[in-house]
């Protein structure tokens, strides 16, 4: 198992030194559960702050204790109102900066807009914009978890610790799936094959890859360079210059590379938001003979009708971490299970505050993890 074993990490937890302040930037009370768990593990109380919306929908932040010369950790979990969540964080970071905090560390388990990290035709790289805004507001360090693309770390000009939730999900598989030795790790598309391979190698299991499903926006790397004009303009192109046209992609029929017959299928990914692709993968695996289907991911956004669709699907269980609050979705769908990752976040906070090395939290992590 890579990164850090949860049981071993539990013994490492010590009381932090003085000068630490822990804030939650959420005005939504349902988003504060993770902050409370982290504070309890660290043995500190949450800092006193008021975050609320004015009648005109402006966000107001009132810090109600001194942060001068202190290490301030701002925990922000993303609610359904993503843009309000971002403004709450930016305003609180700036408030701490103008109050002379020694350092301001953002703890953002799920980094919003992380899927918008590539240029799409005439769009924009929104996660780069968000990184610039955070740095400009006064953030001096970022702790996050399982970025959608690791390259997002390069958008920041401050240190970024991209923690991994995989050890906790691997532990869940070993402890909560009794016959997991009869399982196969499944990538629902070639794009997630590396993650599936990482899980399979650590659990000593086989791997299967589904290929040929309907192409989604995330796997379609179309940008302005791959969209030549539909009509050839004689004025724009010299008559003697023939620019080769890109051949359009065509998906083959759905195939499963690997044997899933009579096995437990465990689909792994980093984000579960729109569940259509997961439902299609589950149906395909059922047709190929899988008798139980689990879906495991770090971030359970579960937007729109996801709980109802999961409940009515062939999926037996969806396992996600609490990087994003989803208590309401769990009430709507008993198949959704939660793994707590507050332990590794609190240990990261403790180590940064005490000036200790972070390498312990990244043991055995390869380039492909």
């Amino acid at each position: 198992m890579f990164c850090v074993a949860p049981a071993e990490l539990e013994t490492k937890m010590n009381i932090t030194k003085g000068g630490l302040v822990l804030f939650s930037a959420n005005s939504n009370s349902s988003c504060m559960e993770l902050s409370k768990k982290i504070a309890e593990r660290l043995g500190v109380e949450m800092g006193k702050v008021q975050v609320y919306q004015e009648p005109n929908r402006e966000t107001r932040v009132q810090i109600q204790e001194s942060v001068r010369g202190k290490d301030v950790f701002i925990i922000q979990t993303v609610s359904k109102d993503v843009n309000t969540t971002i403004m709450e964080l930016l305003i609180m970071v700036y408030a701490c900066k103008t109050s002379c905090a020694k350092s301001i560390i953002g703890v953002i388990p799920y980094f919003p807009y992380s899927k918008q990290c590539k240029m799409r035709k005439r769009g924009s790289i929104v996660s780069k914009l968000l990184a610039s805004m955070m740095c400009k507001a006064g953030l001096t360090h970022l702790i996050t978890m399982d970025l959608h693309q690791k390259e997002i770390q390069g958008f920041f000009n401050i240190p970024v610790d991209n923690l991994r939730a995989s050890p906790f999900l691997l532990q869940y598989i070993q402890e909560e799936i009794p016959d997991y030795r009869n399982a196969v790790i499944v990538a629902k598309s070639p794009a997630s094959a590396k993650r599936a391979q990482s899980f399979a190698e650590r659990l000593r299991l086989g791997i299967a890859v589904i290929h040929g499903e309907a192409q989604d926006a995330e796997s379609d790397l179309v940008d302005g360079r791959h969209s030549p004009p539909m009509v050839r303009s004689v004025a724009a192109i010299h008559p003697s210059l023939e620019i080769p046209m890109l051949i359009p992609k065509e998906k083959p029929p759905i195939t499963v590379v690997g044997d899933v017959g009579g096995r437990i299928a465990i689909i792994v990914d980093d984000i579960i938001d729109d569940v259509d692709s997961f439902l299609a993968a589950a149906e395909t695996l059922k047709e190929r003979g899988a008798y139980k289907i689990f879906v495991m991911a770090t971030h359970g956004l579960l937007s729109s009708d996801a709980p109802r669709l999961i409940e009515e699907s062939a999926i037996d269980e969806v396992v996600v971490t609490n990087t994003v609050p989803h208590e309401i979705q769990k009430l709507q769908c008993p198949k959704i299970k939660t793994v707590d990752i507050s332990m590794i976040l609190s240990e990261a906070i403790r180590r940064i505050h005490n000036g200790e090395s972070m390498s312990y939290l990244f043991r055995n992590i390869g380039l492909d993890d």
Side-chain angles (χ1 to χ4, degrees), residues 61 63 67 72 74 86-101 104 133-139:
V61 174
I63 297 175
V67 297
V72 177
I74 301 175
I86 292 169
M87 284 307 301
E88 290 171 347
L89 175 66
L90 294 175
I91 293 172
M92 181 171 284
V93 168
Y94 190 64
C96 292
K97 177 183 178 181
T98 55
S99 298
C100 301
I104 307 166
M133 291 167 64
M134 290 180 179
C135 294
K136 187 67 176 178
L139 209 64

Side-chain angles (χ1 to χ4, degrees), residues 15-313:
I15 301 300
T16 58
K17 298 175 183 177
L20 178 147
V21 180
L22 204 64
F23 286 131
S24 174
N26 286 108
S27 58
N28 189 339
S29 58
S30 66
C31 296
M32 296 181 65
E33 291 304 316
L34 181 60
S35 304
K36 292 175 182 176
K37 288 182 179 180
I38 292 173
E40 185 178 344
R41 287 186 179 277
L42 290 170
V44 300
E45 293 186 2
M46 294 297 300
K48 297 175 183 177
V49 63
Q50 275 191 327
V51 183
Y52 58 95
Q53 308 297 316
E54 297 276 15
N56 63 357
R57 300 301 297 163
E58 289 184 358
T59 299
R60 185 173 291 274
V61 174
Q62 296 281 356
I63 297 175
Q64 298 177 319
E65 62 179 88
S66 174
V67 297
R68 183 179 294 272
K70 295 182 180 179
D71 292 331
V72 177
F73 291 82
I74 301 175
I75 303 169
Q76 183 70 319
T77 50
V78 177
S79 66
K80 285 193 173 183
D81 190 350
V82 179
N83 297 328
T84 297
T85 298
I86 292 169
M87 284 307 301
E88 290 171 347
L89 175 66
L90 294 175
I91 293 172
M92 181 171 284
V93 168
Y94 190 64
C96 292
K97 177 183 178 181
T98 55
S99 298
C100 301
K102 177 184 174 184
S103 60
I104 307 166
I105 299 94
V107 183
I108 311 172
Y110 169 66
F111 189 76
Y113 286 97
S114 60
K115 285 190 174 184
Q116 297 188 47
C117 61
K118 297 176 183 176
M119 181 63 75
R120 309 286 188 203
K121 294 188 178 178
R122 296 176 183 85
S124 61
I125 305 175
V126 183
S127 52
K128 166 62 177 172
L129 171 64
L130 186 54
S132 300
M133 291 167 64
M134 290 180 179
C135 294
K136 187 67 176 178
L139 209 64
T140 60
H141 198 135
L142 176 67
I143 301 172
T144 187
M145 181 164 281
D146 282 336
L147 287 169
H148 187 57
Q149 297 288 340
K150 292 189 288 294
E151 292 76 10
I152 293 174
Q153 295 176 81
F155 295 162
F156 291 85
N157 56 14
I158 59 174
V160 177
D161 287 311
N162 181 28
L163 302 175
R164 306 298 197 273
S166 304
F168 298 89
L169 297 175
L170 290 166
Q171 185 183 48
Y172 184 94
I173 293 172
Q174 292 173 318
E175 294 180 355
E176 302 298 329
I177 304 178
D179 47 350
Y180 82 92
R181 289 293 179 190
N182 187 37
V184 59
I185 305 298
V186 179
K188 68 179 178 66
S189 68
S192 55
K194 283 186 178 180
R195 178 179 293 268
Q197 181 181 358
S198 175
F199 272 68
E201 289 176 352
R202 288 180 165 85
L203 292 169
R204 314 298 190 262
L205 299 175
I207 184 173
V209 180
I210 300 175
H211 182 51
E213 72 280 303
Q215 188 173 358
D216 56 24
E218 200 55 36
S219 63
D220 183 11
L221 302 181
V222 176
D223 59 21
R225 295 164 296 179
H226 294 163
S227 55
M230 297 299 292
V231 180
R232 230 173 88 176
S233 172
V234 177
I237 302 177
H238 193 275
S240 64
L241 182 62
E242 290 291 336
I243 299 177
M245 304 295 282
L246 193 68
I247 299 172
K249 294 179 181 179
E250 184 176 342
K251 285 279 187 177
I254 292 179
T255 56
V256 178
V257 181
D259 181 23
V260 297
R263 314 282 287 278
I264 298 172
I266 303 176
I267 305 172
V268 296
D269 213 332
D270 62 328
I271 299 173
I272 302 179
D273 189 2
D274 179 12
V275 297
D276 289 346
S277 59
F278 291 94
L279 302 184
E283 289 296 333
T284 301
L285 293 169
K286 276 289 185 184
E287 292 172 4
R288 299 300 194 280
Y291 73 91
K292 244 182 184 180
I293 299 172
F294 291 79
V295 175
M296 310 200 79
T298 303
H299 311 296
L301 304 185
L302 302 170
S303 302
S304 190
D305 289 334
R308 178 182 61 80
L309 294 173
I310 292 170
E311 185 66 24
E312 297 171 356
S313 73

